[in-house]
Amino acid sequence: MTVITVNTPEGRLSLDQRRVLSETLTDAVLVPEVGQFQPAARPGFQVRFVEHPADRMAIGGRLLADAGPGVDVMLLDVAVMEGDWPREVRAEVIERLLAALAKACGLDAPSPAWWVNFRVVEEGSWGSGGGVTSILSLLATGVFTEEKAEAIRAAVAG
């Protein structure tokens, strides 16, 4: 289970861009998380688009309302369940997210003011369906590769 929150200035992303990003941001995390492209895993992902007025976002100590045109600011907050998230996998996810965002926005490269926070929610701290949900119980769904499932078991047990 993963939640990706995309924080942008109002009007930064069109409806069509949000449609594309709903899928591409999901898949940017899904593949490294489960070890393969597995569409059956998509229901365990939520993407939320949150728009903020220019007088409610700032960068460099200046409100966007005062910064003038051309400042392209976004923050992606990614929350994942504890699992197999070594540094290189987190880096891969961040790169995939930023690439998907740039592509959806029709840019060759992400803006330096697009930031990603990658947070791992420790085992026992994720709730759904009226109780606590464990990544270990999700391994039985069949969406994880065996190699990834073993790595998750080792990471959570360790």
Side-chain angles (χ1 to χ4, degrees):
M1 301 177 108
T2 295
V3 177
I4 303 164
T5 305
V6 182
N7 293 279
T8 64
E10 282 180 330
R12 173 57 180 93
L13 298 173
S14 70
L15 177 59
D16 286 340
Q17 287 171 320
R18 291 190 305 273
R19 283 187 176 118
V20 168
L21 287 167
S22 295
E23 184 174 309
T24 59
L25 294 177
T26 293
D27 292 345
V29 183
L30 183 152
V31 172
E33 185 168 11
V34 304
Q36 63 185 340
F37 177 68
Q38 180 56 263
R42 283 184 174 154
F45 290 74
Q46 290 187 23
V47 179
R48 299 179 176 258
F49 296 95
V50 181
E51 293 186 325
H52 303 277
D55 65 348
R56 301 287 171 109
M57 290 182 81
I59 188 164
R62 297 187 65 195
L63 288 173
L64 295 185
D66 300 330
V71 178
D72 193 9
V73 175
M74 291 193 220
L75 171 64
L76 277 68
D77 184 69
V78 181
V80 299
M81 297 177 84
E82 185 173 359
D84 181 39
W85 296 110
R87 184 175 303 212
E88 62 273 7
V89 173
R90 292 184 309 230
E92 175 189 353
V93 168
I94 290 168
E95 290 166 5
R96 290 169 61 97
L97 289 166
L98 290 169
L101 196 55
K103 184 174 181 182
C105 291
L107 300 174
D108 292 332
S111 165
W114 296 355
W115 298 348
V116 177
N117 287 334
F118 188 99
R119 298 181 296 116
V120 178
V121 178
E122 79 178 29
E123 180 68 11
S125 298
W126 197 287
S128 72
V132 175
T133 301
S134 170
I135 187 74
L136 298 174
S137 64
L138 299 177
L139 298 179
T141 62
V143 299
F144 295 85
T145 64
E146 189 53 42
E147 178 181 85
K148 184 54 86 167
E150 287 302 315
I152 290 169
R153 284 186 195 96
V156 172

